[in-house]
Amino acid sequence: MREGKPAGPGHRLKDRLAARAAENGLLRVDAEWQVLTGGRTSPVWRVRSGPEDRVCRFRVADHRNPLFPCLPDAERRCLEAVSGCELGPPFLGSLSAEGGELFVLEYSSGTSWTCAGSERPVADVCEVARLLGRLHRFSPLPDLPVRPCGETALRRQVRRILSLCSGEDSSRLSRLEPGTAPGSGTEDCRPRSLVHGDVVPGNIIRTPNGLLLIDWQCPGIGDPVDDIACFLSPAMQMTNGGRPLGSALCDSFLEAYPCAATVARYRSLRPLLQWRMAVYCLWRVVCGRPGYPEYRQAMEAEIQAMTS
């Protein structure tokens, strides 16, 4: 994330959060708060005082986004669980304040993942595949939201998102609904794993000790194909500072992912997962608050990948 200038209302929120964090012993009174840019839904700061270097993110529960809701309770449980497991940043604590939850984490020096301009793009995507493989072997946590799992549930989810949209684009995407996925009769046997839910380039940090996943705002228990589909999505690459990976890099990722059964399931469900992302992009353009016009181009990229 990049450093930025504080805005008026956000600056006042920061002052109130800083006071509460100091009262609760999570941060020092003399800590300096610097706005970080990069998150679209939640304010985030780098907080420094002497040798202490922290990241603070403020979350307010919000279920309006049909694919990437903000779930502070689930995020806290995941951060506590993966802290110290080389999957997420070290978690130092949280507190309820200002109608939301303030998360305090150790600052992890590094850069956002990208393979744009990289001299070793295949190695870069394979490294993410191995990271997700380790995540998906992590024991599922109790009381996390259960994500749609299997063809029937996925199709129902996409149709619900599409019903929130209208117009020619909505009709067009409705006509593009994929047919039945091969092998879908076994969908009730889909495994349930810990799923990050938002594996995009900006949420993968390259540190001196390897890759870490940050921004655990919408985790759940579900099928690992969700995380694979999010990372390989042209739309999610484009709207998070990158560009579509292309078929060769996607194949390299899938070859490096350590579970062949999950890869086979992803390949079977890929048209449906791509359709879901295209529909989500349309929702983001016409229904999201705020709307993001760049998602229209991302939608077209997803449709192209789906129909090619």
Side-chain angles (χ1 to χ4, degrees):
M1 290 190 173
R2 302 178 301 276
E3 296 186 356
K5 295 181 179 179
H11 192 54
R12 292 192 291 272
L13 172 65
K14 180 267 293 183
D15 289 342
R16 296 193 296 270
L17 292 173
R20 286 293 310 279
E23 290 172 4
N24 285 268
L26 276 176
L27 296 167
R28 294 170 56 165
V29 175
D30 61 348
E32 177 186 352
W33 291 55
Q34 175 68 53
V35 174
L36 296 176
T37 61
R40 283 180 164 174
T41 59
S42 305
V44 58
W45 300 267
R46 185 175 180 180
V47 182
R48 285 174 278 193
S49 178
E52 295 183 356
D53 200 350
R54 310 287 187 245
V55 168
C56 292
R57 186 184 295 271
F58 181 66
R59 300 284 200 197
V60 176
D62 189 345
H63 296 265
R64 290 174 296 178
N65 190 307
L67 206 55
F68 302 101
C70 190
L71 309 171
D73 288 343
E75 180 170 14
R76 183 181 61 255
R77 290 195 290 274
C78 283
L79 288 172
E80 290 172 343
V82 304
S83 181
C85 297
E86 298 183 341
L87 289 170
F91 178 62
L92 301 176
S94 67
L95 63 88
S96 298
E98 300 295 321
E101 191 89 2
L102 180 69
F103 294 97
V104 182
L105 305 108
E106 186 174 307
Y107 179 78
S108 298
S109 61
T111 57
S112 296
W113 182 94
T114 181
C115 70
S118 171
E119 296 180 355
R120 53 182 203 112
V122 171
D124 289 337
V125 298
C126 290
E127 193 175 5
V128 177
R130 290 189 290 271
L131 171 70
L132 293 186
R134 289 194 291 110
L135 168 67
H136 297 148
R137 290 194 297 269
F138 200 88
S139 299
L141 306 178
D143 302 322
L144 287 185
V146 176
R147 301 169 65 90
C149 198
E151 180 177 355
T152 300
L154 286 172
R155 200 176 296 276
R156 187 184 305 119
Q157 179 191 35
V158 184
R159 289 172 177 170
R160 182 178 64 82
I161 300 173
L162 193 56
S163 72
L164 302 174
C165 308
S166 61
E168 177 54 34
D169 284 318
S170 177
S171 299
R172 175 188 174 203
L173 282 169
S174 181
R175 293 191 296 269
L176 289 173
E177 178 173 350
T180 301
S184 61
T186 61
E187 64 180 294
D188 290 340
C189 299
R190 300 290 184 240
R192 299 196 182 276
S193 304
L194 177 61
V195 174
H196 178 277
D198 193 11
V199 183
V200 297
N203 290 341
I204 306 170
I205 301 298
R206 184 180 298 284
T207 75
N209 298 318
L211 299 182
L212 290 178
L213 287 164
I214 63 170
D215 204 346
W216 292 70
Q217 78 165 36
C218 53
I221 299 173
D223 194 328
V225 300
D226 274 9
D227 282 341
I228 293 174
C230 188
F231 178 73
L232 297 183
S233 161
M236 291 296 99
Q237 289 286 332
M238 291 171 63
T239 56
N240 288 273
R243 60 190 182 194
L245 296 176
S247 59
L249 285 179
C250 289
D251 287 343
S252 294
F253 174 96
L254 294 173
E255 290 172 7
Y257 185 83
C259 179
T262 298
V263 170
R265 193 165 59 254
Y266 166 76
R267 291 187 186 277
S268 175
L269 292 171
R270 179 162 50 190
L272 186 56
L273 294 163
Q274 291 171 328
W275 182 53
R276 178 174 68 174
M277 195 59 75
V279 169
Y280 171 75
C281 288
L282 177 62
W283 177 88
R284 177 51 89 185
V285 171
V286 302
C287 301
R289 297 292 182 268
Y292 291 102
E294 66 268 29
Y295 275 83
R296 183 170 295 281
Q297 182 180 5
M299 178 187 75
E300 296 296 339
E302 205 70 41
I303 292 173
Q304 182 179 356
M306 174 185 168
T307 57
S308 61

